[in-house]
Amino acid sequence: MVTIESKGDQYIFNIRGFHQFWALKSKINVPKENVVKAYQDIEELHRYCGFRVGTYIPFIIIAGTYYLRNKTNFWDMSREKNTIIVELKNHPYNKLYIEVQNPEAAIKLLNSK
């Protein structure tokens, strides 16, 4: 599970609980100007993730940094209905696939800038 904080000109994505262990990361800082859009797309969640540095247990959790077609993405997902996709520019990660408690509120926050 990930929580999102808005502080000044940055979003701070805090990875919570055991997800820190599985994802090998505790937080990701992203300048607000680097967020292109946030959305939900169940079909995109079912595509191949790529080579990983993290955890993959089928039907339980996908967490960590994944490399696919010269792009780096971050995944922290165990329930796809609560997972949002955050598309980024000018950042080491191309996309963040993150599970949040309230997807609608998170999408609204990230798209409001």
Side-chain angles (χ1 to χ4, degrees):
M1 177 83 60
V2 175
T3 60
I4 305 168
E5 291 180 62
S6 176
K7 283 194 175 179
D9 65 344
Q10 297 235 333
Y11 290 117
I12 302 168
F13 297 86
N14 293 300
I15 295 92
R16 298 291 183 196
F18 281 113
H19 289 246
Q20 291 179 24
F21 173 74
W22 293 322
L24 305 174
K25 192 170 278 298
S26 62
K27 71 179 178 176
I28 300 170
N29 294 334
V30 177
K32 288 182 178 179
E33 65 187 27
N34 290 9
V35 174
V36 175
K37 64 181 176 177
Y39 59 96
Q40 282 189 299
D41 184 348
I42 299 298
E43 287 183 27
E44 188 172 339
L45 300 179
H46 291 276
R47 296 184 189 147
Y48 177 64
C49 303
F51 176 75
R52 72 182 175 278
V53 177
T55 304
Y56 176 75
I57 302 171
F59 308 109
I60 297 176
I61 190 165
I62 301 170
T65 301
Y66 286 72
Y67 305 93
L68 182 63
R69 296 186 200 104
N70 296 323
K71 294 187 178 178
T72 305
N73 300 310
F74 178 80
W75 287 75
D76 185 22
M77 177 184 90
S78 56
R79 288 183 299 239
E80 63 186 33
K81 72 176 186 163
N82 287 352
T83 300
I84 65 170
I85 302 164
V86 183
E87 189 175 325
L88 305 174
K89 64 179 181 183
N90 302 323
H91 192 272
Y93 289 116
N94 182 57
K95 291 183 180 179
L96 307 177
Y97 296 83
I98 54 173
E99 180 185 342
V100 294
Q101 187 166 355
N102 185 336
E104 294 82 17
I107 289 170
K108 184 177 179 182
L109 171 69
L110 294 168
N111 288 333
S112 68
K113 292 190 238 183

